[in-house]
């Protein structure tokens, strides 16, 4: 079977992902052992760092130098509402929460509620507003500290964002946007402007507080083209370049090609899926590294490295290294069957979602505590 070429842009991730290639093409740096140790000295251990799920960065060393000097940073991340939240989104935000707690940092969370409206042909504006509310519940449910977390919504905080976005936009030419994002002469003009809106939260707290504050952006590697541009522009406006820490994608149920994505409903697990739905999807679609017959499986063992149920345990649901290793060995030796492995993953996901869904409902009355208000 011929592998499809990989493609990674902020609006499309497809093909068999080769992260070394992405590192080279985007010009980001791998997180070295040394840098990981330095980070962990402050934050404590984190399995997503250890397992290289967060694997790349820009200027993290500089950020920690500043931190050591007492120049504290804020964290910036975001979500463009366009559908329900799936496990892939939660993974990056769980890590974001870990960073917020470890550094006691402010988090600025952007909801660019115009982005997917501008980029997705079939998405109307009213639907994005429905998803906006829904998506905020998932973020709140993860337990961010409301005193230190500010939601910024592009169309609601336009008075704050638009003047700053214009300052950014004036430094970006159409040809820069074309080459960074693959836009062309028939792209709508909202798309051409959009990246300047995503740049703003990287320095908005500095504008509000009238002093330069370093910024750390945790994000999936597909967002890097935005921040590469942002980093070129901000020094020209008198701001620091934002630093970033970047992760790979949670694979879709069908296998290690592309990412979990809301556009392929049956191949993603959503935070609102029922236990039955989770079970159905994993049993029916989760790509298995097991052998065709039980006899063969017992004899030759399975391949956990391509098995999606195992990958979900590794990426999110089995933080305990020892337990993960036992499952790995047992599956590889053929002692554990695909059915058994799937059941472990189904149980773990459902245990997690049961709690998450409760917290999600309880978050409804708390949205207002998170939306940024000017003093
Ligand atoms: N473009 C992102 C999305 O498609 C949303 C986003 C806005 C974001 N600002 C960000 C993501 C900062 C990571 C970091 O959902």
């Amino acid at each position: 079977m011929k592998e499809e070429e990989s493609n990674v842009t902020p609006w499309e991730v497809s093909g068999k992902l080769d992260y070394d290639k992405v590192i080279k093409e985007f010009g980001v740096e791998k997180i070295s052992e040394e840098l990981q140790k330095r980070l962990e000295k402050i934050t404590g251990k984190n399995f997503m760092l250890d397992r290289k799920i967060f694997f790349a960065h820009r200027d993290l060393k500089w950020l920690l130098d500043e931190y050591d000097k007492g120049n504290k940073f804020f964290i910036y991340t975001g979500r463009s509402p366009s559908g329900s939240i799936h496990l892939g989104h939660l993974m990056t935000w769980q890590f974001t929460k870990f960073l917020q707690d470890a550094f006691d940092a402010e988090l600025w969370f952007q909801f660019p509620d115009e982005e997917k409206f501008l980029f997705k042909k079939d998405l109307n504006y009213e639907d994005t507003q429905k998803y906006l509310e829904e998506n905020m519940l998932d973020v709140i449910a993860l337990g961010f500290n409301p005193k230190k977390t500010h939601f910024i919504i592009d169309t609601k905080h336009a008075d704050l964002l638009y003047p700053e976005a214009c300052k950014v936009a004036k430094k970006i030419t159409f040809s820069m946007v074309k080459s960074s994002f693959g836009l062309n002469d028939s792209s709508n003009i909202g798309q051409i402007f959009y990246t300047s809106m995503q740049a703003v939260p990287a320095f908005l707290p500095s504008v509000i507080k009238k002093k330069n504050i370093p910024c750390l952006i945790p994000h999936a590697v597909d967002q890097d083209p935005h921040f590469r541009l942002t980093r070129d522009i901000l020094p020209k406006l008198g701001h620091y370049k934002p630093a970033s820490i970047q992760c790979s994608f949670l694979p879709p149920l069908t296998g290690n090609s592309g990412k979990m994505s809301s556009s392929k409903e049956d191949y993603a697990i959503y935070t609102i899926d029922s236990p039955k739905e989770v079970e159905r999807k994993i049993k029916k679609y989760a790509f298995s590294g097991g052998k065709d017959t039980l006899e063969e499986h017992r004899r030759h063992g399975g391949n956990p490295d391509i098995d999606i149920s195992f990958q979900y345990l590794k990426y999110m649901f089995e933080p305990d290294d020892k337990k993960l290793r036992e499952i790995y060995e047992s599956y590889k030796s053929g002692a554990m069957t695909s059915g058994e492995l799937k059941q472990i993953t189904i149980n773990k996901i459902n245990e997690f979602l049961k709690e998450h869904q409760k917290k999600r409902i309880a978050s409804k009355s708390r949205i207002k505590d998170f939306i940024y208000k000017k003093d």
Side-chain angles (χ1 to χ4, degrees):
M1 200 169 58
K2 195 172 163 285
E3 292 287 7
E4 339 143 51
E5 259 292 329
S6 74
N7 185 27
V8 180
T9 76
W11 298 287
E12 195 202 341
V13 176
S14 60
K16 172 96 193 132
L17 294 163
D18 174 349
Y19 288 108
D20 284 325
K21 192 174 135 208
V22 171
I23 286 181
K24 250 185 56 216
E25 274 176 14
F26 283 8
V28 297
E29 268 181 76
K30 242 187 188 153
I31 300 174
S32 67
E33 290 300 315
E34 190 194 345
L35 190 56
Q36 184 187 331
K37 287 220 174 73
R38 187 174 168 198
L39 189 60
E40 284 175 347
K41 237 185 168 165
I42 309 168
T43 63
K45 281 244 167 231
N46 182 285
F47 74 93
M48 293 195 202
L49 280 173
D50 259 350
R51 297 177 191 169
K52 317 283 177 214
I53 294 164
F54 275 79
F55 69 103
H57 75 99
R58 289 183 186 271
D59 266 348
L60 194 54
K61 223 181 264 155
W62 166 82
L63 188 90
L64 294 178
D65 287 344
E66 288 301 309
Y67 183 80
D68 284 346
K69 287 189 245 161
N71 193 9
K72 285 189 73 172
F73 59 87
F74 68 92
I75 300 169
Y76 159 40
T77 196
R79 154 74 181 163
S80 170
S82 60
S84 297
I85 297 301
H86 58 61
L87 297 178
H89 302 121
L90 286 196
M91 184 185 94
T92 27
W93 303 338
Q94 282 174 334
F95 188 74
T96 303
K97 154 105 171 92
F98 161 79
L99 289 175
Q100 174 177 60
D101 291 345
F103 288 98
D104 190 30
E106 281 209 2
L107 167 65
W108 291 72
F109 202 113
Q110 180 180 36
F111 290 90
D113 52 339
E114 83 286 40
E115 176 186 356
K116 296 290 160 62
F117 167 68
L118 292 167
F119 281 91
K120 288 193 169 196
K121 225 168 138 218
D122 299 325
L123 187 66
N124 65 42
Y125 184 74
E126 288 64 35
D127 283 344
T128 63
Q129 296 307 298
K130 200 182 76 203
Y131 289 127
L132 169 64
E133 288 258 339
E134 288 284 306
N135 292 180
M136 287 193 285
L137 300 179
D138 283 290
V139 178
I140 295 170
L142 292 179
F144 290 104
N145 175 355
K147 292 205 175 68
K148 298 209 142 216
T149 305
H150 310 291
F151 288 178
I152 291 282
I153 303 158
D154 283 14
T155 64
K156 312 293 173 293
H157 293 95
D159 56 340
L160 281 172
L161 295 170
Y162 189 61
E164 301 307 323
C166 286
K167 293 176 199 172
V168 174
K170 197 172 175 176
K171 305 269 182 223
I172 304 179
T173 65
F174 186 21
S175 85
M176 284 158 81
V177 173
K178 273 189 193 167
S179 64
S180 295
F181 301 110
L183 301 184
N184 57 50
D185 283 355
S186 38
S187 304
N188 73 56
I189 61 174
Q191 295 181 346
I192 300 164
F193 184 76
Y194 173 70
T195 193
S196 49
M197 292 296 282
Q198 187 158 327
V200 175
F203 64 98
L204 187 65
S206 301
V207 173
I208 291 173
K209 291 177 186 159
K210 299 194 171 66
K211 62 168 189 200
N212 268 349
I213 313 170
C215 169
L216 173 63
I217 314 177
H219 64 79
V221 68
D222 62 334
Q223 296 295 310
D224 186 72
H226 284 296
F227 300 122
R228 197 163 45 205
L229 259 184
T230 303
R231 285 167 52 84
D232 286 346
I233 307 298
L234 292 208
K236 298 181 189 165
L237 298 175
H239 302 294
Y240 291 128
K241 289 183 182 194
S244 65
I245 184 159
Q246 310 193 12
C247 65
S248 54
F249 304 106
L250 186 70
L253 284 162
T254 43
N256 281 319
S257 166
K259 64 168 179 175
M260 190 177 274
S261 147
S262 335
S263 9
K264 299 189 192 106
E265 249 179 50
D266 258 347
Y267 302 161
I269 292 173
Y270 296 95
T271 61
I272 53 174
D273 280 350
S274 68
K276 277 231 140 36
E277 213 21 30
V278 171
E279 185 177 354
R280 182 186 72 84
K281 285 181 183 176
I282 298 269
K283 285 193 172 157
K284 182 158 179 204
Y285 297 110
F287 186 82
S288 165
K291 296 289 182 295
D292 287 342
T293 66
L294 184 62
E295 202 196 333
E296 260 188 278
H297 187 81
R298 292 283 189 223
R299 190 168 324 133
H300 302 291
N303 182 355
D305 294 314
I306 59 167
D307 188 284
I308 288 301
S309 304
F310 182 80
Q311 295 305 312
Y312 290 178
L313 294 177
K314 175 180 163 186
Y315 270 75
M316 289 182 81
F317 295 103
E318 187 45 270
D320 185 326
D321 286 335
K322 196 166 153 267
K323 285 190 189 150
L324 190 73
R325 176 126 298 264
E326 280 166 12
I327 295 172
Y328 188 95
E329 299 298 348
S330 172
Y331 189 59
K332 208 176 159 78
S333 73
M336 182 184 282
T337 65
S338 288
E340 287 163 344
L341 177 55
K342 284 194 174 193
Q343 198 56 51
I344 294 176
T345 303
I346 291 167
N347 293 349
K348 286 270 179 187
I349 294 177
N350 280 338
E351 262 167 50
F352 169 82
L353 286 184
K354 193 172 160 206
E355 287 311 304
H356 183 80
Q357 287 168 3
K358 273 192 221 151
K359 292 181 199 152
R360 214 177 157 271
I361 304 278
S363 301
K364 282 195 177 152
S365 58
R366 301 176 62 217
I367 290 181
K368 56 182 183 322
D369 303 336
F370 284 85
I371 294 181
Y372 178 71
K373 278 174 247 34
K374 280 183 263 184
D375 294 325

